[in-house]
Coordinates of all heavy atoms in Angstrom, one line a residue:
A83 N 7.2 -9.5 18.6 CA 6.1 -9.2 17.7 C 6.0 -7.7 17.6 O 6.2 -7.0 18.6 CB 4.8 -9.9 18.0
K84 N 5.8 -7.2 16.3 CA 5.7 -5.8 16.2 C 4.2 -5.4 16.5 O 3.3 -6.0 16.4 CB 5.9 -5.6 14.7 CG 6.8 -4.4 14.3 CD 6.9 -4.2 12.9 CE 8.1 -3.4 12.6 NZ 8.3 -3.1 11.1
R85 N 4.2 -4.2 17.2 CA 2.9 -3.6 17.5 C 2.4 -2.9 16.3 O 3.0 -2.5 15.5 CB 3.0 -2.6 18.6 CG 3.5 -3.0 19.9 CD 3.8 -2.1 21.0 NE 4.0 -0.6 20.3 CZ 3.6 0.4 20.8 NH1 2.9 0.5 21.9 NH2 3.9 1.6 20.2
V86 N 1.0 -3.0 16.1 CA 0.4 -2.4 14.9 C 0.7 -0.8 14.8 O 1.0 -0.4 13.7 CB -1.2 -2.5 15.1 CG1 -1.9 -1.6 14.0 CG2 -1.6 -3.9 15.0
Q87 N 0.9 -0.2 15.9 CA 1.3 1.2 15.9 C 2.7 1.4 15.2 O 3.0 2.5 14.9 CB 1.2 1.9 17.3 CG -0.1 1.9 17.9 CD -0.5 0.6 18.6 OE1 0.1 -0.4 18.6 NE2 -1.7 0.7 19.2
D88 N 3.5 0.4 15.2 CA 4.9 0.5 14.6 C 4.9 0.0 13.2 O 6.0 0.0 12.5 CB 5.8 -0.3 15.5 CG 5.9 0.3 16.9 OD1 5.8 1.5 17.1 OD2 6.1 -0.5 17.8
M89 N 3.7 -0.5 12.7 CA 3.8 -1.1 11.4 C 3.5 -0.1 10.3 O 2.7 1.0 10.6 CB 2.8 -2.3 11.4 CG 3.2 -3.4 12.3 SD 1.9 -4.7 12.2 CE 2.3 -5.5 10.7
S90 N 3.9 -0.3 9.1 CA 3.7 0.5 8.0 C 2.9 -0.2 6.9 O 3.1 -1.4 6.6 CB 4.9 1.2 7.5 OG 5.8 0.1 7.1
V91 N 2.0 0.5 6.2 CA 1.1 -0.1 5.2 C 1.3 0.7 3.9 O 1.3 1.9 3.9 CB -0.4 -0.2 5.7 CG1 -1.2 -0.8 4.5 CG2 -0.6 -0.8 6.9
L92 N 1.3 0.0 2.8 CA 1.2 0.6 1.4 C 0.0 0.2 0.8 O -0.2 -1.0 0.6 CB 2.5 0.2 0.6 CG 2.5 0.7 -0.8 CD1 2.5 2.3 -0.9 CD2 3.7 0.1 -1.5
I93 N -0.8 1.1 0.3 CA -2.0 0.9 -0.3 C -1.8 1.3 -1.8 O -1.5 2.5 -2.0 CB -3.2 1.7 0.1 CG1 -3.4 1.4 1.7 CG2 -4.5 1.5 -0.6 CD1 -4.3 2.4 2.4
V94 N -2.0 0.4 -2.7 CA -1.7 0.6 -4.1 C -3.1 0.5 -4.8 O -3.6 -0.7 -5.0 CB -0.7 -0.3 -4.7 CG1 -0.5 0.1 -6.3 CG2 0.6 -0.3 -3.9
D95 N -3.8 1.6 -5.2 CA -5.1 1.6 -6.0 C -5.1 2.8 -6.7 O -4.8 3.9 -6.2 CB -6.1 1.4 -4.8 CG -7.5 1.0 -5.6 OD1 -7.8 1.6 -6.6 OD2 -8.2 0.1 -4.9
D96 N -5.6 2.7 -8.0 CA -5.9 3.9 -8.8 C -7.1 4.6 -8.5 O -7.4 5.7 -9.0 CB -5.7 3.6 -10.3 CG -6.7 2.6 -10.8 OD1 -7.1 1.6 -9.9 OD2 -7.1 2.6 -11.9
E97 N -7.9 4.1 -7.8 CA -9.2 4.7 -7.3 C -8.9 5.5 -6.0 O -8.8 4.9 -4.9 CB -10.4 3.7 -7.0 CG -10.7 2.9 -8.3 CD -11.5 3.7 -9.3 OE1 -12.2 4.8 -8.8 OE2 -11.6 3.4 -10.4
E98 N -8.7 6.9 -6.2 CA -8.4 7.6 -5.0 C -9.3 7.5 -3.8 O -8.8 7.5 -2.7 CB -8.2 9.1 -5.4 CG -7.7 10.0 -4.4 CD -7.5 11.5 -4.8 OE1 -7.5 11.8 -6.1 OE2 -7.3 12.3 -3.9
K99 N -10.6 7.5 -4.1 CA -11.5 7.4 -3.0 C -11.4 6.2 -2.2 O -11.5 6.1 -1.0 CB -13.0 7.6 -3.5 CG -13.2 9.0 -3.9 CD -14.7 9.2 -4.5 CE -14.9 10.6 -5.0 NZ -16.2 10.7 -5.5
I100 N -11.1 5.0 -2.9 CA -11.0 3.7 -2.3 C -9.7 3.8 -1.4 O -9.8 3.3 -0.3 CB -10.9 2.6 -3.3 CG1 -12.3 2.4 -3.9 CG2 -10.4 1.4 -2.6 CD1 -12.4 1.4 -5.1
S101 N -8.7 4.3 -1.9 CA -7.4 4.3 -1.3 C -7.5 5.2 0.2 O -7.2 4.9 1.2 CB -6.3 5.0 -2.0 OG -5.9 4.2 -3.0
E102 N -8.3 6.4 -0.1 CA -8.5 7.3 1.1 C -9.3 6.5 2.1 O -9.0 6.6 3.3 CB -9.2 8.5 0.6 CG -8.2 9.5 0.2 CD -7.1 9.9 1.2 OE1 -7.5 10.4 2.3 OE2 -6.0 9.6 1.0
L103 N -10.5 5.8 1.7 CA -11.2 5.2 2.7 C -10.4 4.0 3.5 O -10.6 3.9 4.7 CB -12.5 4.4 2.0 CG -13.5 5.4 1.6 CD1 -14.6 4.7 0.8 CD2 -14.2 6.0 2.9
I104 N -9.6 3.3 2.7 CA -8.8 2.3 3.4 C -7.9 2.9 4.3 O -7.5 2.5 5.5 CB -8.2 1.4 2.4 CG1 -9.1 0.6 1.6 CG2 -7.1 0.4 3.0 CD1 -8.5 -0.1 0.3
R105 N -7.2 4.0 3.8 CA -6.2 4.7 4.7 C -6.8 5.2 6.0 O -6.4 4.9 7.0 CB -5.6 5.9 3.9 CG -4.5 6.6 4.8 CD -4.0 7.9 4.0 NE -5.0 8.9 4.0 CZ -5.5 9.6 5.0 NH1 -5.0 9.5 6.1 NH2 -6.5 10.5 4.8
I106 N -8.0 5.9 5.9 CA -8.6 6.3 7.0 C -9.0 5.3 8.0 O -8.9 5.4 9.2 CB -9.9 7.2 6.7 CG1 -9.4 8.5 6.0 CG2 -10.7 7.5 7.8 CD1 -10.5 9.2 5.2
F107 N -9.6 4.2 7.5 CA -10.0 3.0 8.3 C -8.8 2.5 8.9 O -8.8 2.2 10.3 CB -10.6 2.0 7.4 CG -11.0 0.7 8.1 CD1 -12.1 0.7 9.0 CD2 -10.2 -0.5 7.9 CE1 -12.4 -0.4 9.7 CE2 -10.6 -1.6 8.6 CZ -11.7 -1.7 9.5
L108 N -7.7 2.2 8.3 CA -6.5 1.7 9.0 C -5.9 2.6 10.0 O -5.5 2.2 11.1 CB -5.4 1.4 7.9 CG -5.8 0.2 7.0 CD1 -4.6 0.1 5.8 CD2 -6.0 -1.1 7.6
E109 N -5.9 3.9 9.7 CA -5.3 4.8 10.7 C -6.2 5.0 11.9 O -5.7 5.2 13.1 CB -5.1 6.2 10.1 CG -4.0 6.2 9.1 CD -3.9 7.5 8.4 OE1 -4.7 8.4 8.4 OE2 -2.7 7.7 7.8
T110 N -7.6 4.9 11.8 CA -8.5 5.2 12.9 C -8.8 3.8 13.6 O -8.8 3.8 14.9 CB -9.7 5.9 12.5 OG1 -10.3 5.1 11.5 CG2 -9.4 7.3 12.0
A111 N -9.1 2.8 12.9 CA -9.5 1.5 13.5 C -8.5 0.8 14.1 O -8.5 0.2 15.2 CB -10.4 0.7 12.6
F112 N -7.3 0.7 13.4 CA -6.2 -0.1 13.8 C -5.0 0.7 14.3 O -4.1 0.1 14.8 CB -5.8 -1.0 12.7 CG -6.8 -2.1 12.3 CD1 -7.6 -1.9 11.3 CD2 -7.0 -3.2 13.2 CE1 -8.7 -2.8 11.0 CE2 -7.9 -4.2 13.0 CZ -8.8 -4.0 11.7
E113 N -4.9 2.0 14.0 CA -3.9 2.8 14.5 C -2.6 2.5 13.9 O -1.5 2.5 14.6 CB -3.8 2.9 16.0 CG -5.2 3.6 16.6 CD -5.1 3.7 18.0 OE1 -4.3 3.2 18.7 OE2 -6.1 4.3 18.5
F114 N -2.5 2.0 12.6 CA -1.2 1.7 12.0 C -0.3 3.0 12.1 O -0.8 4.1 11.9 CB -1.4 1.3 10.5 CG -1.7 -0.1 10.4 CD1 -3.0 -0.6 10.3 CD2 -0.7 -1.1 10.2 CE1 -3.3 -1.9 10.1 CE2 -0.9 -2.4 10.1 CZ -2.3 -2.9 10.0
G115 N 1.0 2.8 12.3 CA 1.9 3.9 12.4 C 2.0 4.7 11.2 O 2.2 6.0 11.2
S116 N 2.0 4.1 10.0 CA 2.3 4.7 8.8 C 1.4 4.0 7.7 O 1.5 2.9 7.5 CB 3.8 4.7 8.3 OG 4.0 5.1 7.1
V117 N 0.6 5.0 7.0 CA -0.1 4.4 5.9 C 0.2 5.3 4.7 O -0.1 6.5 4.8 CB -1.7 4.4 6.2 CG1 -2.4 3.8 5.1 CG2 -1.9 3.6 7.4
V118 N 0.7 4.7 3.7 CA 1.1 5.4 2.4 C 0.2 4.9 1.3 O 0.0 3.7 1.1 CB 2.6 5.2 2.2 CG1 3.1 5.8 0.9 CG2 3.4 5.7 3.4
T119 N -0.1 5.8 0.4 CA -0.9 5.3 -0.8 C 0.0 5.7 -2.1 O 0.8 6.7 -2.0 CB -2.2 6.1 -0.9 OG1 -2.0 7.6 -1.0 CG2 -3.0 5.9 0.3
A120 N -0.4 4.9 -3.1 CA 0.2 5.1 -4.4 C -0.8 4.7 -5.5 O -1.5 3.7 -5.4 CB 1.5 4.2 -4.6
P121 N -1.0 5.5 -6.5 CA -2.1 5.2 -7.5 C -1.7 4.2 -8.6 O -2.5 3.6 -9.3 CB -2.4 6.6 -8.1 CG -1.0 7.4 -8.0 CD -0.4 6.9 -6.7
T122 N -0.3 3.9 -8.7 CA 0.1 3.0 -9.8 C 1.2 2.1 -9.1 O 1.8 2.4 -8.1 CB 0.7 3.7 -11.0 OG1 1.9 4.4 -10.6 CG2 -0.3 4.7 -11.6
A123 N 1.5 1.0 -9.8 CA 2.5 -0.1 -9.3 C 3.8 0.7 -9.5 O 4.8 0.4 -8.7 CB 2.4 -1.3 -10.1
I124 N 3.9 1.5 -10.5 CA 5.3 2.1 -10.8 C 5.6 3.1 -9.6 O 6.7 3.1 -9.0 CB 5.2 2.8 -12.1 CG1 5.2 1.8 -13.2 CG2 6.5 3.7 -12.3 CD1 4.9 2.4 -14.7
L125 N 4.7 3.9 -9.2 CA 4.9 4.8 -8.1 C 5.0 4.0 -6.8 O 5.7 4.5 -5.9 CB 3.7 5.9 -8.0 CG 3.7 6.9 -9.1 CD1 2.4 7.7 -9.1 CD2 4.9 7.8 -9.0
A126 N 4.3 2.9 -6.6 CA 4.5 2.1 -5.4 C 5.9 1.6 -5.4 O 6.5 1.5 -4.3 CB 3.5 1.0 -5.4
A127 N 6.5 1.2 -6.5 CA 7.8 0.7 -6.5 C 8.8 1.7 -6.1 O 9.7 1.5 -5.3 CB 8.1 0.1 -7.8
Q128 N 8.5 3.0 -6.4 CA 9.4 4.1 -6.0 C 9.3 4.3 -4.5 O 10.3 4.4 -3.8 CB 9.1 5.4 -6.6 CG 9.4 5.3 -8.3 CD 8.8 6.5 -9.0 OE1 8.1 7.4 -8.4 NE2 9.2 6.6 -10.2
K129 N 8.1 4.2 -3.9 CA 7.9 4.4 -2.4 C 8.5 3.2 -1.8 O 9.1 3.4 -0.7 CB 6.4 4.6 -2.1 CG 5.9 5.9 -2.7 CD 4.3 5.9 -2.4 CE 3.8 7.1 -3.0 NZ 3.8 8.4 -2.2
F130 N 8.5 2.0 -2.3 CA 9.0 0.8 -1.7 C 10.6 0.9 -1.7 O 11.2 0.3 -0.8 CB 8.6 -0.4 -2.5 CG 8.7 -1.7 -1.8 CD1 7.6 -1.9 -0.9 CD2 9.7 -2.6 -1.8 CE1 7.6 -3.1 -0.2 CE2 9.7 -3.8 -1.1 CZ 8.6 -4.0 -0.3
Q131 N 11.2 1.7 -2.5 CA 12.6 1.8 -2.5 C 13.1 2.7 -1.2 O 14.2 2.5 -0.8 CB 13.2 2.5 -3.8 CG 13.1 1.6 -5.0 CD 13.5 2.3 -6.3 OE1 13.6 3.5 -6.2 NE2 13.7 1.5 -7.3
N132 N 12.1 3.6 -0.9 CA 12.5 4.6 0.2 C 12.0 4.0 1.6 O 12.5 4.6 2.6 CB 11.9 5.9 0.0 CG 12.4 6.5 -1.4 OD1 13.6 6.3 -1.6 ND2 11.5 7.2 -2.0
Q133 N 11.2 3.1 1.6 CA 10.6 2.6 2.9 C 10.3 1.1 2.8 O 9.8 0.7 1.9 CB 9.4 3.4 3.2 CG 8.7 3.2 4.6 CD 7.5 4.0 4.8 OE1 7.2 4.9 4.1 NE2 6.7 3.8 5.8
D134 N 10.5 0.4 4.0 CA 10.1 -1.0 4.0 C 8.5 -0.9 4.5 O 8.2 -0.2 5.5 CB 10.8 -1.9 5.0 CG 12.2 -2.0 4.4 OD1 12.3 -2.2 3.2 OD2 13.2 -2.2 5.1
F135 N 7.7 -1.8 4.0 CA 6.4 -1.8 4.5 C 6.0 -3.3 5.0 O 6.6 -4.3 4.6 CB 5.4 -1.6 3.3 CG 5.5 -0.2 2.7 CD1 6.3 0.1 1.7 CD2 4.8 0.8 3.4 CE1 6.5 1.3 1.3 CE2 4.9 2.1 2.9 CZ 5.7 2.4 1.9
D136 N 5.2 -3.3 6.1 CA 4.9 -4.6 6.7 C 3.7 -5.2 6.0 O 3.5 -6.4 6.0 CB 4.5 -4.3 8.2 CG 5.7 -3.8 9.0 OD1 6.7 -4.5 9.0 OD2 5.5 -2.6 9.4
L137 N 2.9 -4.4 5.3 CA 1.7 -4.9 4.7 C 1.5 -4.1 3.4 O 1.6 -2.8 3.4 CB 0.5 -4.6 5.6 CG -0.8 -5.0 5.0 CD1 -1.1 -6.5 4.8 CD2 -1.9 -4.6 6.1
I138 N 1.1 -4.7 2.3 CA 0.8 -4.1 1.0 C -0.6 -4.5 0.7 O -0.9 -5.7 0.6 CB 1.7 -4.4 0.0 CG1 3.1 -4.1 0.3 CG2 1.2 -3.7 -1.4 CD1 4.1 -4.5 -0.8
I139 N -1.5 -3.5 0.6 CA -2.9 -3.7 0.0 C -2.8 -3.3 -1.4 O -2.6 -2.2 -1.7 CB -3.9 -2.9 0.8 CG1 -3.9 -3.4 2.2 CG2 -5.3 -3.2 0.2 CD1 -4.7 -2.7 3.2
L140 N -3.1 -4.3 -2.3 CA -2.8 -4.0 -3.7 C -4.0 -4.4 -4.6 O -4.5 -5.4 -4.6 CB -1.6 -5.0 -4.2 CG -1.1 -5.0 -5.6 CD1 -0.5 -3.6 -5.9 CD2 0.0 -6.1 -5.7
D141 N -4.4 -3.4 -5.4 CA -5.4 -3.6 -6.4 C -4.8 -4.5 -7.5 O -3.8 -4.4 -7.9 CB -5.8 -2.2 -7.0 CG -7.2 -2.3 -7.8 OD1 -7.7 -3.4 -7.9 OD2 -7.4 -1.3 -8.5
Y142 N -5.8 -5.4 -8.0 CA -5.3 -6.3 -9.1 C -5.2 -5.6 -10.5 O -4.2 -5.9 -11.1 CB -6.4 -7.4 -9.2 CG -6.1 -8.4 -10.3 CD1 -5.2 -9.4 -9.9 CD2 -6.7 -8.5 -11.4 CE1 -4.9 -10.5 -10.9 CE2 -6.4 -9.4 -12.4 CZ -5.5 -10.4 -12.1 OH -5.1 -11.3 -13.1
V143 N -6.1 -4.6 -10.7 CA -6.2 -4.0 -12.1 C -5.6 -2.5 -11.8 O -6.3 -1.8 -11.2 CB -7.6 -3.9 -12.6 CG1 -7.5 -3.2 -13.9 CG2 -8.1 -5.4 -12.8
L144 N -4.4 -2.3 -12.4 CA -3.9 -1.1 -12.2 C -3.3 -0.6 -13.6 O -3.0 -1.3 -14.4 CB -2.5 -1.2 -11.3 CG -2.9 -1.5 -9.8 CD1 -1.5 -1.8 -9.0 CD2 -3.5 -0.2 -9.1
P145 N -3.2 0.8 -13.7 CA -2.7 1.3 -15.0 C -1.2 1.1 -15.2 O -0.5 1.2 -14.2 CB -3.0 2.8 -14.9 CG -3.1 3.1 -13.4 CD -3.6 1.9 -12.9
G146 N -0.8 0.7 -16.3 CA 0.6 0.5 -16.6 C 1.1 -0.9 -16.3 O 1.8 -1.6 -17.0
K147 N 0.9 -1.4 -15.0 CA 1.4 -2.6 -14.6 C 0.4 -3.3 -13.6 O -0.1 -2.5 -12.7 CB 2.8 -2.5 -13.9 CG 3.5 -3.7 -13.5 CD 4.8 -3.4 -12.8 CE 5.8 -3.1 -13.7 NZ 7.2 -3.0 -13.2
S148 N 0.0 -4.4 -13.8 CA -1.0 -5.1 -13.0 C -0.5 -5.4 -11.6 O 0.8 -5.4 -11.4 CB -1.6 -6.4 -13.6 OG -0.6 -7.4 -13.4
G149 N -1.4 -5.6 -10.6 CA -0.9 -6.0 -9.3 C -0.2 -7.2 -9.3 O 0.9 -7.4 -8.6
I150 N -0.4 -8.1 -10.1 CA 0.3 -9.5 -10.2 C 1.7 -9.2 -10.7 O 2.7 -9.7 -10.2 CB -0.5 -10.4 -11.2 CG1 -1.9 -10.8 -10.5 CG2 0.4 -11.7 -11.3 CD1 -1.8 -11.5 -9.3
E151 N 1.9 -8.3 -11.8 CA 3.2 -8.1 -12.3 C 4.0 -7.2 -11.2 O 5.2 -7.6 -11.1 CB 3.1 -7.1 -13.4 CG 2.5 -7.9 -14.7 CD 2.2 -6.8 -15.8 OE1 1.7 -5.9 -15.6 OE2 2.5 -7.3 -17.1
Y152 N 3.4 -6.5 -10.4 CA 4.1 -5.7 -9.3 C 4.6 -6.7 -8.2 O 5.7 -6.6 -7.8 CB 3.2 -4.7 -8.7 CG 3.8 -3.9 -7.6 CD1 5.0 -3.2 -7.8 CD2 3.3 -3.8 -6.3 CE1 5.6 -2.5 -6.8 CE2 3.8 -3.2 -5.4 CZ 5.0 -2.5 -5.4 OH 5.7 -1.8 -4.5
I153 N 3.7 -7.7 -7.9 CA 4.1 -8.6 -7.0 C 5.3 -9.5 -7.5 O 6.3 -9.8 -6.7 CB 2.9 -9.6 -6.5 CG1 1.9 -8.8 -5.7 CG2 3.4 -10.8 -5.8 CD1 2.3 -8.4 -4.5
E154 N 5.3 -9.9 -8.7 CA 6.4 -10.7 -9.3 C 7.7 -9.8 -9.3 O 8.8 -10.4 -9.0 CB 6.0 -10.9 -10.8 CG 4.9 -12.0 -10.9 CD 5.3 -13.4 -10.2 OE1 6.5 -13.8 -10.3 OE2 4.5 -13.9 -9.6
Q155 N 7.6 -8.4 -9.6 CA 8.7 -7.6 -9.5 C 9.2 -7.5 -8.0 O 10.5 -7.6 -7.9 CB 8.3 -6.2 -9.9 CG 9.4 -5.2 -9.8 CD 8.9 -3.7 -10.1 OE1 7.9 -3.6 -10.7 NE2 9.6 -2.8 -9.6
L156 N 8.4 -7.5 -7.1 CA 8.9 -7.4 -5.7 C 9.6 -8.7 -5.2 O 10.5 -8.7 -4.5 CB 7.7 -7.2 -4.7 CG 7.1 -5.8 -4.7 CD1 5.9 -5.7 -3.7 CD2 8.1 -4.7 -4.3
K157 N 9.0 -9.8 -5.7 CA 9.6 -11.1 -5.4 C 11.0 -11.2 -6.0 O 11.9 -11.9 -5.5 CB 8.7 -12.3 -5.9 CG 7.5 -12.4 -5.0 CD 6.4 -13.4 -5.5 CE 6.7 -14.5 -6.1 NZ 5.7 -15.4 -6.5
G158 N 11.2 -10.5 -7.1 CA 12.6 -10.4 -7.8 C 13.2 -11.6 -8.2 O 14.2 -12.1 -8.4

């Protein structure tokens, strides 16, 4: 089993303050190894190409492409 400190998280939310609060919480309370944020599903897809994530926290309503559309794209 992977330790939380070795896990990476991608937060996808167009509300910067919400993303920052979640990032700070995950880094301090759970000590995740890597917490990355993206304001849109399109930018999240670009980050996903460069790094594998163990957990994705995804807003449902995003500009350009909804959270559901992004999940469908990931499932391929």
Side-chain angles (χ1 to χ4, degrees):
K84 225 177 194 184
R85 296 176 334 143
V86 172
Q87 292 85 354
D88 298 328
M89 296 177 76
S90 60
V91 180
L92 175 62
I93 302 166
V94 186
D95 196 317
D96 59 327
E97 296 285 337
E98 185 178 346
K99 289 181 181 179
I100 292 173
S101 290
E102 275 302 297
L103 285 173
I104 295 170
R105 183 188 64 75
I106 290 167
F107 177 72
L108 293 176
E109 288 177 343
T110 57
F112 293 101
E113 300 179 353
F114 275 93
S116 170
V117 182
V118 176
T119 62
T122 67
I124 293 166
L125 291 173
Q128 291 172 357
K129 291 179 186 275
F130 204 78
Q131 290 176 347
N132 299 325
Q133 181 179 352
D134 289 331
F135 293 95
D136 299 295
L137 174 67
I138 299 174
I139 299 174
L140 181 63
D141 188 7
Y142 181 79
V143 179
L144 294 166
K147 184 181 284 193
S148 76
I150 296 298
E151 291 171 322
Y152 179 57
I153 291 293
E154 291 299 322
Q155 175 187 341
L156 286 177
K157 288 172 32 178

